Amino acid sequence: MKKHNFSAGPCILPQEVFEEASQGILDFQNSGLSILEISHRSEAFVSVIEEARSLALQLLGLENKGYSALFLHGGASTQFLMTAYNFLNKKAGYLNTGTWSSKAIKEAKLFGEVVEVGSSKDKNFNYIPKDYKIPSGLDYLHCTSNNTIYGTQIKDFPNIDAPLFCDMSSDIFSREMDFSKFDLIYAGAQKNMGPAGTTLVVIKNDLIKKVEREVPSMLNYKVHLEKDSMFNTPAVYAVYVSLLTLRWIKNNGGIKAMEQNNNAKADLLYKEIDRNPLFKGFAAPEDRSPMNVTFNLTDESRKEAFDELWKNAGINGLNGHRSVGGYRASMYNALRLESVEVLVSCMQKLEEQN
Amino acid sequence: MKKHNFSAGPCILPQEVFEEASQGILDFQNSGLSILEISHRSEAFVSVIEEARSLALQLLGLENKGYSALFLHGGASTQFLMTAYNFLNKKAGYLNTGTWSSKAIKEAKLFGEVVEVGSSKDKNFNYIPKDYKIPSGLDYLHCTSNNTIYGTQIKDFPNIDAPLFCDMSSDIFSREMDFSKFDLIYAGAQKNMGPAGTTLVVIKNDLIKKVEREVPSMLNYKVHLEKDSMFNTPAVYAVYVSLLTLRWIKNNGGIKAMEQNNNAKADLLYKEIDRNPLFKGFAAPEDRSPMNVTFNLTDESRKEAFDELWKNAGINGLNGHRSVGGYRASMYNALRLESVEVLVSCMQKLEEQN
Ligand SMILES: Cc1ncc(COP(=O)(O)O)c(C=O)c1O
Ligand SMILES: Cc1ncc(COP(=O)(O)O)c(C=O)c1O
Ligand SMILES: [Mg+2]
Ligand SMILES: [Mg+2]
Ligand SMILES: [Mg+2]
Ligand SMILES: [Mg+2]
């Protein structure tokens, strides 16, 4: 039986994507070759990566606006270091909204001064800092749009003079936004975009002019831009499955439709958390993420009973991250409303048991 | 029809691997989940990466000998920079045997002094330098065991005091050797080990003590060792398919049997190149690689006729790299002798046509 997969990432992808992705391993486009054995310099693969690059920009509304998309190696964690290696010449600002922001800050400190413009560490990152001051003279301001572990999401991004960088690993392609506010966006593929093993970077072409340091080739955005994201062998299969997922987003109404579905799922679950006396939400209500819903039992002694209920219902991946405890329901684009309905009915059954 | 795939990498993998790899996308180990959607922290995946790490060491004869295996992001090109970032404190030696060695040298120069101990650039890298002198006081000596583009292979590795590092991207798991001669071995997966998207690093644990620089986490071998190759989300699928390929190597007689088959294929093709007056080999005979066989027509005017012959025979990926021209037959572990027989028969047909 197919599971209801609430994993935080790697995570559920559309069933159609799994099917096409499986077929491509046996025979890619009737070529008599597996997608795993074709040259990355073949016409077939070059057209895969080019379509993926342009579709990513198109879905974000950034086509013909001076941006480029790259599919790089190394996960979002490599972007923590690449952003700083390339662009932290003197001083950068970081908004600290959780584990991932903190890790980005740690890497950046190797390259220059880091100003933590705001932090929600005082309350175990259960909210998004607001009304923080942004000093002048920053090389860039870095933020994390969605905090996968804590279930918070930035709703309003600051208007600043400095370039704005954003780690969108866990909510890219999930909600409409003016993406042209950002100068650099990155996201590990393994949430809304594809499987683990490739990272999307969307970068304003002009930004490259700001690089002062001598940067090793594999960490150098300019090198990857000049080589059309093919400086070395890309993660062929991860890029291919990302393309299939991007096509699925486009064919299913684009980001606008994704956002509507995501909001419907989030409304359903947050309403139940608020209504049901056995559960309480972790994140501050105004900062709640539709992607990762973090919640706890009001009475820990019911844990065994609840765990049995959801496991028997075919739910997977609901355990919370150790930094928060309790439960985390990750509801990325490909998760269906009916999976959330199953979860909500487990929560209601627990209530009935008492 | 299944092609005879002579691609240089990404390249052919065993048919059984493709089949199991395709099935795992639809349902991984009857879990009701795709391998693409499971958490990298799940027991199922942790056991995949742990088995892959230990099988890699086992096949190389390095188990319980103070080595660890890592599956990292970034391709072999990232190792060019990581080796130097971690270990080039003052001065390192490099043997320059082609494009890939040259690129490793370029990255290393950002971190310290590079002594090119030998080079075959004078003859477009068609041979392996011998009798070169190795200065004392090196942090390490770096070499490339098999030169994918030029079709040369190092048969004898130097005995030195300094740590010996080797880029084995295109011949790892293809021939028996005393791998304990090396302190650090790396290889992009996409030749003998798996699909593009992960890189094997085999490192002597003691080596870590030599690191003097402060190294960013994602480039830091110590960090990856301490986190059992799970510092960030690994390239789950590429690691899984690598495991399937490593198991196939083991179940088919290990490196010893691979080497016998590889030698049989190489003998067949090199004999034909030498015998057939229409072809000549590129690499110096004593340095010929069984993995990548580079050859040219003695008369370029027969190119069209030869290309038609091999394309009609279902051969793929035979065009030489632009640095060498002519043809390159890459014959990794999974390529079958019968594919080489088909190629040889095309060469003989060309001869008969004249
Ligand atoms: C918001 C965010 N940033 C960064 C990362 C790290 O990504 P990776 O494991 O690809 O390095 C994660 C992983 O879950 C994440 O959720
Ligand atoms: C010997 C050798 N080293 C390094 C590389 C670069 O590998 P990657 O593309 O994974 O960075 C290659 C690629 O073909 C290679 O053959
Ligand atoms: Mg977080
Ligand atoms: Mg409640
Ligand atoms: Mg080479
Ligand atoms: Mg000849």
Side-chain angles (χ1 to χ4, degrees):
Chain A
M1 196 193 66
K2 191 77 197 164
K3 289 277 171 65
H4 301 287
N5 189 10
F6 287 85
S7 283
C11 67
I12 190 168
L13 296 174
Q15 186 58 28
E16 301 94 293
V17 168
F18 290 142
E19 279 157 25
E20 198 168 345
S22 171
Q23 174 51 37
I25 303 272
L26 296 176
D27 190 0
F28 179 57
Q29 298 176 341
N30 297 315
S31 61
L33 294 166
S34 166
I35 176 79
L36 301 184
E37 67 178 318
I38 63 169
S39 168
H40 59 295
R41 305 274 174 210
S42 63
E43 269 175 54
F45 182 71
V46 171
S47 94
V48 163
I49 196 168
E50 282 307 310
E51 184 183 342
R53 294 175 71 203
S54 80
L55 199 44
L57 290 183
Q58 191 188 315
L59 288 167
L60 298 172
L62 292 177
E63 243 180 356
N64 304 318
K65 290 197 176 155
Y67 286 82
S68 299
L70 300 169
F71 283 87
L72 302 184
H73 294 280
S77 300
T78 296
Q79 294 307 309
F80 299 161
L81 114 91
M82 273 178 72
T83 43
Y85 210 139
N86 283 265
F87 299 114
L88 208 180
N89 295 316
K90 284 217 181 66
K91 186 170 73 173
Y94 279 72
L95 184 60
N96 191 355
T97 55
T99 302
W100 302 115
S101 312
S102 304
K103 291 199 178 196
I105 289 168
K106 183 178 172 217
E107 302 307 317
K109 281 182 174 165
L110 292 175
F111 298 94
E113 188 190 339
V114 169
V115 184
E116 217 173 284
V117 298
S119 169
S120 47
K121 198 171 178 188
D122 57 340
K123 295 190 177 169
N124 195 23
F125 301 112
N126 77 346
Y127 72 102
I128 300 290
K130 284 135 204 140
D131 305 322
Y132 46 86
K133 293 233 166 52
I134 297 166
S136 62
L138 295 181
D139 291 320
Y140 58 84
L141 178 70
H142 180 284
C143 58
T144 313
S145 56
N146 187 77
N147 299 285
T148 327
I149 292 176
Y150 306 91
T152 63
Q153 189 181 55
I154 301 181
K155 312 291 177 184
D156 296 305
F157 291 87
N159 291 308
I160 53 166
D161 289 332
L164 186 58
F165 292 5
C166 190
D167 174 0
M168 295 195 186
S169 291
S170 53
D171 69 351
I172 196 157
F173 303 120
S174 75
R175 57 169 166 161
E176 288 196 296
M177 252 201 271
D178 176 8
F179 292 98
S180 72
K181 270 191 101 146
F182 302 94
D183 299 80
L184 191 151
I185 296 167
Y186 62 86
Q190 66 271 16
K191 273 91 172 176
N192 279 319
M193 197 180 69
T198 188
T199 309
L200 175 68
V201 173
V202 172
I203 183 171
K204 210 168 193 165
N205 299 326
D206 274 355
L207 199 64
I208 291 302
K209 293 184 197 139
K210 303 199 180 252
V211 177
E212 293 177 8
R213 217 174 255 113
E214 202 170 359
V215 184
S217 307
M218 279 300 291
L219 303 176
N220 194 324
Y221 294 110
K222 187 159 184 273
V223 167
H224 292 294
L225 285 169
E226 285 171 355
K227 296 288 183 177
D228 289 325
S229 206
M230 292 269 271
F231 171 68
N232 80 329
T233 317
V236 170
Y237 191 68
V239 173
Y240 173 60
V241 182
S242 296
L243 170 61
L244 297 180
T245 311
L246 292 169
R247 281 188 192 152
W248 175 87
I249 296 175
K250 184 179 173 179
N251 295 338
N252 286 275
I255 295 185
K256 188 190 178 99
M258 298 296 129
E259 181 171 22
Q260 281 169 358
N261 290 335
N262 291 330
N263 286 344
K265 292 180 284 178
D267 283 351
L268 183 63
L269 183 53
Y270 281 119
K271 271 201 188 116
E272 179 61 18
I273 290 170
D274 290 342
R275 185 207 63 76
N276 192 326
L278 302 191
F279 296 95
K280 58 176 193 282
F282 172 78
E286 68 277 17
D287 300 324
R288 282 174 165 177
S289 162
M291 295 285 99
N292 311 97
V293 179
T294 46
F295 59 103
N296 295 74
L297 284 162
T298 46
D299 174 358
E300 274 298 317
S301 75
R302 293 189 176 104
K303 180 169 161 42
E304 214 176 312
F306 184 54
D307 289 355
E308 202 186 313
L309 276 167
W310 60 262
K311 282 177 187 167
N312 287 341
I315 285 175
N316 174 71
L318 202 67
N319 286 322
H321 190 275
R322 65 187 175 284
S323 328
V324 175
Y327 300 95
R328 171 171 54 168
S330 296
M331 311 195 300
Y332 299 111
N333 287 345
L335 187 89
R336 298 162 61 129
L337 185 66
E338 65 190 50
S339 293
V340 186
E341 287 166 351
V342 170
L343 171 57
V344 165
S345 87
C346 291
M347 296 164 78
Q348 293 174 348
K349 275 185 198 147
L350 187 72
E351 192 185 12
E352 286 157 23
Q353 279 180 7
N354 284 274
Chain B
M1 196 194 65
K2 191 76 198 163
K3 288 276 171 65
H4 300 287
N5 188 9
F6 287 86
S7 283
C11 68
I12 190 168
L13 296 174
Q15 185 59 26
E16 301 95 293
V17 169
F18 289 142
E19 279 158 23
E20 198 167 346
S22 171
Q23 173 52 37
I25 303 273
L26 295 177
D27 189 0
F28 179 58
Q29 298 176 344
N30 297 314
S31 61
L33 294 166
S34 166
I35 175 80
L36 300 184
E37 68 178 318
I38 63 169
S39 168
H40 60 294
R41 306 274 174 209
S42 63
E43 269 176 53
F45 182 71
V46 171
S47 94
V48 163
I49 195 166
E50 282 307 310
E51 184 184 341
R53 294 176 70 202
S54 80
L55 200 44
L57 291 182
Q58 191 189 315
L59 288 168
L60 298 172
L62 292 177
E63 243 180 355
N64 305 317
K65 291 197 176 156
Y67 287 82
S68 299
L70 300 169
F71 285 86
L72 302 185
H73 294 280
S77 299
T78 297
Q79 294 307 310
F80 298 161
L81 114 90
M82 273 178 73
T83 43
Y85 210 140
N86 284 265
F87 300 114
L88 208 179
N89 295 317
K90 284 218 182 66
K91 185 170 75 173
Y94 279 73
L95 184 60
N96 190 355
T97 54
T99 302
W100 302 113
S101 312
S102 304
K103 291 197 178 197
I105 290 168
K106 181 177 172 220
E107 302 306 316
K109 281 182 175 165
L110 293 175
F111 298 94
E113 187 189 340
V114 169
V115 184
E116 217 172 284
V117 298
S119 169
S120 45
K121 201 174 176 187
D122 57 338
K123 295 190 177 169
N124 195 23
F125 301 112
N126 78 346
Y127 71 103
I128 300 290
K130 285 138 204 135
D131 304 322
Y132 46 87
K133 292 236 163 52
I134 298 165
S136 63
L138 295 181
D139 291 319
Y140 59 83
L141 178 69
H142 180 284
C143 58
T144 313
S145 56
N146 187 78
N147 299 284
T148 326
I149 292 175
Y150 306 92
T152 63
Q153 188 181 56
I154 301 181
K155 311 291 178 184
D156 297 303
F157 291 87
N159 291 309
I160 53 166
D161 289 332
L164 186 57
F165 291 6
C166 190
D167 174 359
M168 295 195 186
S169 292
S170 53
D171 70 350
I172 195 156
F173 303 119
S174 76
R175 57 169 166 161
E176 289 196 295
M177 251 201 271
D178 177 7
F179 292 98
S180 71
K181 272 191 101 145
F182 302 94
D183 298 82
L184 190 152
I185 295 167
Y186 62 87
Q190 67 270 14
K191 273 89 172 177
N192 278 320
M193 198 181 66
T198 188
T199 309
L200 176 68
V201 173
V202 173
I203 184 171
K204 210 167 193 167
N205 299 325
D206 274 355
L207 200 63
I208 291 303
K209 294 185 198 139
K210 303 201 181 251
V211 177
E212 294 177 6
R213 218 175 253 114
E214 203 170 358
V215 184
S217 307
M218 280 299 292
L219 303 177
N220 194 323
Y221 294 111
K222 186 158 182 277
V223 167
H224 293 292
L225 285 169
E226 284 170 356
K227 295 287 182 178
D228 289 325
S229 206
M230 293 269 272
F231 171 68
N232 81 329
T233 318
V236 170
Y237 191 69
V239 173
Y240 173 60
V241 181
S242 296
L243 170 61
L244 297 180
T245 311
L246 292 170
R247 281 188 191 151
W248 176 86
I249 295 175
K250 185 180 172 177
N251 296 337
N252 286 274
I255 296 186
K256 189 190 177 98
M258 297 297 129
E259 180 170 22
Q260 282 169 358
N261 290 335
N262 291 331
N263 285 344
K265 292 180 284 178
D267 283 351
L268 183 62
L269 182 53
Y270 281 120
K271 270 200 188 118
E272 180 61 18
I273 289 169
D274 290 342
R275 186 207 62 75
N276 191 324
L278 302 191
F279 296 95
K280 58 175 191 281
F282 171 78
E286 69 276 17
D287 300 324
R288 283 173 165 179
S289 162
M291 294 286 99
N292 312 97
V293 178
T294 45
F295 59 103
N296 296 72
L297 285 162
T298 47
D299 175 358
E300 274 299 316
S301 75
R302 293 189 176 102
K303 181 169 162 39
E304 214 176 314
F306 185 55
D307 289 355
E308 204 187 312
L309 275 168
W310 61 264
K311 282 177 186 167
N312 288 340
I315 286 175
N316 174 69
L318 202 67
N319 287 322
H321 190 276
R322 64 187 177 285
S323 329
V324 174
Y327 301 96
R328 171 172 53 168
S330 296
M331 311 195 301
Y332 299 111
N333 288 345
L335 188 90
R336 297 163 63 130
L337 185 66
E338 65 191 51
S339 293
V340 186
E341 287 167 352
V342 169
L343 171 56
V344 165
S345 88
C346 291
M347 296 165 77
Q348 293 175 348
K349 275 184 197 146
L350 187 72
E351 192 184 11
E352 285 158 22
Q353 278 181 8
N354 284 273

